[in-house]
Amino acid sequence: MQNDGSLSFDVGFCPGAPCNASGKDIPGLVVEATYGITDRLHVHVYDKDKGQYQLPEDIWPRPEFDHDSSLIDSADLKFDYAKLLRAAASHVLDFRLPPVPNTRMNREVAVAFKEHNIPLETFWNDIDHYLAKKDFTVDPASFGDLKEFVEEIHANHKYYVPVVDAAVPITVNSSDIYDPYTRGFEMGIFMKNAEGSEYVGQVWPGYTVFPDFLNPATTQWWTEAHINWTDVITFDGIWDEMNEVASFCIGSCGMNEDIPNTTQQFQHPTFTDNIPEG
């Protein structure tokens, strides 16, 4: 449907049954693309019944602009929903491979795809390339030539996207140097407990804190962290995963745990299946 500078269409299941592979699938989605100025296109995906929580605009305001239907044809950015639907119909594949332990394996995967005539547009890396699973790092031993690998695939007109988790590992002593945490602590952008201490969770790198994305200063910290990362890695986009307070602790680990003891085992909460939704 086209209306007042916006394009929208419904997305349903094909051939008709939901997969429910990672929980209960949402049965009906709406994709809406709104044009406002020549170089801004707002794409909004939401459930048709509007039953899922969305961050209110009075908390996170979006840029204001007048809907201009003429921009659908004249804007610099184009939303080609017909092309999107053709791609879905042609079974575009997302290959998930086992953990990739080093850059050599990255190259072997790229070569194998080419040898078997498998289309490869974008190469993604999970946290395997991190040093000690810390955001905004690269393991110099296993992925020391990652920047060169990205240059190689760029030369072949391919893209590179690394993962970034929002859980930032804390430092526990003066010898534990990790600028993303130190800078965020100085700026006061991490989530806090009711009494003002940092809300500490436990994720892949160990004990972690979480950026408060409703804090205006967090945008500056988040931007700086990504820019500084480009000293050791180049990328075309970011796989922004676990950007909520996801933790292996129940509540804040900082309430009762010995934080300097980073050798403690992960505390996996007990999950119960078939909990009624509410």
Side-chain angles (χ1 to χ4, degrees):
M1 179 176 63
Q2 181 172 323
N3 180 39
D4 192 27
S6 297
L7 301 171
S8 65
F9 58 91
D10 295 343
V11 178
F13 294 111
C14 182
C19 298
N20 294 329
S22 301
K24 186 178 180 181
D25 288 345
I26 298 174
L29 296 175
V30 176
V31 179
E32 182 180 70
T34 303
Y35 292 84
I37 54 179
T38 57
D39 60 354
R40 185 184 297 278
L41 174 63
H42 178 221
V43 179
H44 184 199
V45 181
Y46 56 94
D47 62 301
K48 193 171 184 177
D49 296 331
K50 297 185 178 181
Q52 303 297 313
Y53 176 78
Q54 299 183 49
L55 196 64
E57 291 196 26
D58 59 346
I59 295 179
W60 192 279
R62 297 182 177 88
E64 294 183 3
F65 51 76
D66 294 327
H67 292 190
D68 186 348
S69 59
S70 67
L71 292 176
I72 292 178
D73 297 318
S74 62
D76 296 335
L77 299 174
K78 303 294 183 184
F79 185 76
D80 191 341
Y81 59 92
K83 183 177 180 180
L84 175 66
L85 294 177
R86 286 196 300 271
S90 63
H91 304 289
V92 175
L93 300 179
D94 174 13
F95 288 92
R96 299 296 180 93
L97 302 174
V100 179
N102 49 51
T103 313
R104 178 183 59 81
M105 182 67 76
N106 273 3
R107 290 190 173 92
E108 291 178 358
V109 170
V111 169
F113 271 58
K114 184 176 182 179
E115 289 179 347
H116 291 85
N117 294 317
I118 301 175
L120 177 60
E121 181 183 55
T122 304
F123 205 102
W124 306 64
N125 268 135
D126 207 331
I127 60 175
D128 315 290
H129 67 285
Y130 285 162
L131 177 63
K133 298 184 174 66
K134 294 181 177 181
D135 277 341
F136 309 115
T137 65
V138 172
D139 185 345
S142 301
F143 288 87
D145 58 343
L146 182 57
K147 198 166 188 175
E148 289 75 15
F149 168 75
V150 176
E151 291 173 353
E152 293 168 12
I153 65 173
H154 278 169
N156 289 301
H157 310 291
K158 304 184 188 308
Y159 303 100
Y160 181 73
V161 175
V163 71
V164 173
D165 292 337
V168 176
I170 64 175
T171 57
V172 295
N173 54 58
S174 59
S175 64
D176 187 7
I177 300 174
Y178 181 57
D179 288 340
Y181 172 76
T182 303
R183 177 66 170 151
F185 176 80
E186 292 171 348
M187 296 176 69
I189 58 91
F190 297 123
M191 297 187 68
K192 294 178 174 57
N193 292 302
E195 85 286 356
S197 64
E198 288 183 334
Y199 184 96
V200 178
Q202 192 180 46
V203 196
W204 310 119
Y207 288 120
T208 58
V209 288
F210 304 91
D212 178 2
F213 288 106
L214 298 182
N215 184 333
T218 303
T219 299
Q220 178 185 346
W221 172 84
W222 185 249
T223 302
E224 288 179 0
H226 283 82
I227 291 175
N228 293 338
W229 200 22
T230 60
D231 291 339
V232 292
I233 185 177
T234 55
F235 45 83
D236 303 290
I238 290 296
W239 173 9
D240 186 13
E241 187 184 43
M242 298 179 69
N243 59 343
E244 73 286 351
V245 184
S247 172
F248 300 135
C249 287
I250 300 176
S252 174
C253 303
M255 299 297 287
N256 301 301
E257 298 298 330
D258 177 15
I259 298 302
N261 179 12
T262 57
T263 62
Q264 280 189 270
Q265 296 296 313
F266 282 157
Q267 301 180 46
H268 294 282
T270 301
F271 294 98
T272 302
D273 294 332
N274 299 320
I275 297 177
E277 296 185 2

